[in-house]
């Protein structure tokens, strides 16, 4: 379900109730799944005009996800190996609103196609969504290559579903990838909200504690949990490394 409308309502209520006494702001976005019309430029434009900051490629109704789970009625992003024209329109909208493009649950091959086409359309902010998720299944070598070729960020999350309501933690694999590729290329996120997982504030605390124990510095953890996400959302203009990756 798109979160952009709920974020807009929360921000309006906050303004009416607290005015300038609070700098709280909620951010929402839209995922291009079947129930939003798939690759739907009109829905994207509406979401961005409402203040949406993130546009996800299809997630659990993506062609890649559905084929791997033997499901039909999916959302494709390509035809005959090429990006759909409607998707090019979506990229232009993301560029015009300086929003974030997330890759959702598409395949590694599709991630490269999307990154290429989005950069051609002028999209500055691209995040590969949980490449460690078995449905996405992006190898570490491909993660290195897509970072090198397209200067994207990699969002590595707390846990992933393995079937039948069971989740497994990704913390060890995430930490190893962060050490190998470099913290400046990562966002550490929870992807929590499922009843099988702890609340997000518990999972992010456990995630951060694990990174400390693994040997990451406070500055490195801040980069992956504050500066990089903040840059994507337009809250912060640059990280403390001064890296130009968007």
């Amino acid at each position: 379900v798109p979160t952009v409308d709920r974020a807009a309502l929360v921000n309006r209520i906050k303004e009416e109730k607290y005015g300038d006494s609070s700098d709280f702001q909620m951010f929402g976005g839209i995922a291009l799944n079947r129930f939003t019309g798939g690759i739907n430029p009109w829905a994207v434009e509406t979401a961005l005009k409402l203040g949406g900051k993130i546009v996800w490629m299809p997630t659990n109704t993506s062609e890649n996800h559905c084929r791997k789970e033997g499901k039909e009625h999916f959302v494709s992003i390509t035809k005959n190996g090429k990006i759909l024209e409607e998707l090019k329109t979506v990229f232009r909208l993301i560029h015009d609103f300086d929003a974030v493009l997330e890759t959702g649950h598409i395949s590694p091959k599709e991630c490269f196609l999307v990154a290429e086409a989005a950069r051609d359309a002028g999209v500055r902010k691209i995040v590969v969504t949980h490449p460690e998720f078995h449905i996405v299944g992006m190898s570490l070598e491909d993660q290195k290559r897509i970072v090198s070729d397209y200067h994207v960020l990699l969002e590595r999350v707390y846990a992933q579903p393995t079937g039948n309501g069971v989740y497994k933690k990704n913390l060890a694999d995430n930490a190893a990838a962060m050490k190998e590729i470099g913290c400046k290329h990562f966002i550490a996120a929870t992807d929590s909200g499922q009843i099988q997982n702890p609340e997000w504030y518990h999972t992010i605390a456990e995630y951060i504690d694990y990174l400390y124990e693994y040997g990451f510095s406070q500055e490195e953890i801040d980069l992956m949990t504050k500066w990089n996400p903040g840059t994507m959302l337009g809250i912060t203009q640059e990280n403390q490394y001064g890296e130009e990756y968007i």
Side-chain angles (χ1 to χ4, degrees):
V1 177
T3 54
V4 63
D5 51 349
R6 283 172 282 174
L9 286 171
V10 169
N11 290 332
R12 180 180 297 179
I13 292 169
K14 186 274 296 185
E15 184 66 27
E16 292 173 353
K17 193 168 184 178
Y18 300 103
D20 294 335
S21 66
S22 171
D23 59 2
F24 172 85
Q25 187 175 5
M26 181 175 285
F27 299 99
I30 184 171
L32 302 184
N33 286 311
R34 286 186 63 209
F35 44 80
T36 56
I39 308 304
N40 185 346
W42 296 274
V44 170
E45 184 174 14
T46 299
L48 295 175
K49 285 181 176 178
L50 275 171
K53 289 286 189 178
I54 304 171
V55 178
W56 281 269
M57 293 296 94
T59 57
N60 61 356
T61 62
S62 69
E63 180 175 359
N64 176 59
H65 193 135
C66 290
R67 287 191 183 280
K68 285 184 176 177
E69 293 191 340
K71 298 177 181 177
E72 300 179 348
H73 310 298
F74 45 72
V75 178
S76 298
I77 64 167
T78 62
K79 184 176 182 180
N80 298 324
K82 296 183 179 180
I83 292 290
L84 295 176
E85 288 301 316
E86 298 93 326
L87 193 51
K88 294 179 181 179
T89 303
V90 168
F91 293 155
R92 288 194 291 271
L93 287 165
I94 294 171
H95 165 263
D96 291 346
F97 284 84
D98 195 28
V100 182
L101 169 63
E102 287 248 13
T103 56
H105 295 185
I106 63 177
S107 70
K109 181 179 179 180
E110 290 172 326
C111 286
F112 281 91
L113 290 173
V114 162
E116 176 82 21
R119 287 295 190 219
D120 288 346
V123 175
R124 298 175 61 242
K125 302 172 181 178
I126 303 175
V127 179
V128 177
T129 311
H130 46 50
E132 74 280 8
F133 180 29
H134 68 93
I135 292 292
V136 177
M138 183 178 285
S139 69
L140 193 61
E141 289 307 310
D142 274 347
Q143 291 175 55
K144 292 178 182 178
R145 185 160 65 91
I146 201 166
V147 163
S148 175
D149 291 352
Y150 299 105
H151 305 286
V152 303
L153 288 178
L154 304 170
E155 179 187 49
R156 304 282 298 226
V157 302
Y158 172 84
Q160 63 172 296
T162 58
N164 299 317
V166 177
Y167 279 71
K168 79 175 188 74
K169 295 179 183 179
N170 298 323
L171 301 183
D173 288 342
N174 290 352
M178 291 163 178
K179 283 290 188 183
E180 183 157 347
I181 299 175
C183 296
K184 67 182 180 181
H185 303 298
F186 285 90
I187 290 174
T190 67
D191 206 15
S192 293
Q194 311 85 2
I195 60 172
Q196 299 93 337
N197 283 322
E199 292 86 354
W200 69 267
Y201 44 86
H202 291 308
T203 55
I204 193 63
E206 182 182 346
Y207 202 156
I208 289 171
D209 286 345
Y210 187 92
L211 294 176
Y212 272 126
E213 293 171 4
Y214 202 90
F216 290 93
S217 68
Q218 179 68 60
E219 291 75 17
E220 290 173 322
I221 293 171
D222 283 349
L223 180 61
M224 296 186 287
T225 59
K226 298 177 183 179
W227 290 100
N228 285 348
T231 302
M232 293 296 101
L233 293 172
I235 301 171
T236 55
Q237 296 303 310
E238 62 179 15
N239 61 59
Q240 81 267 31
Y241 289 97
E243 295 289 344
E244 181 59 37
Y245 51 75
I246 62 170

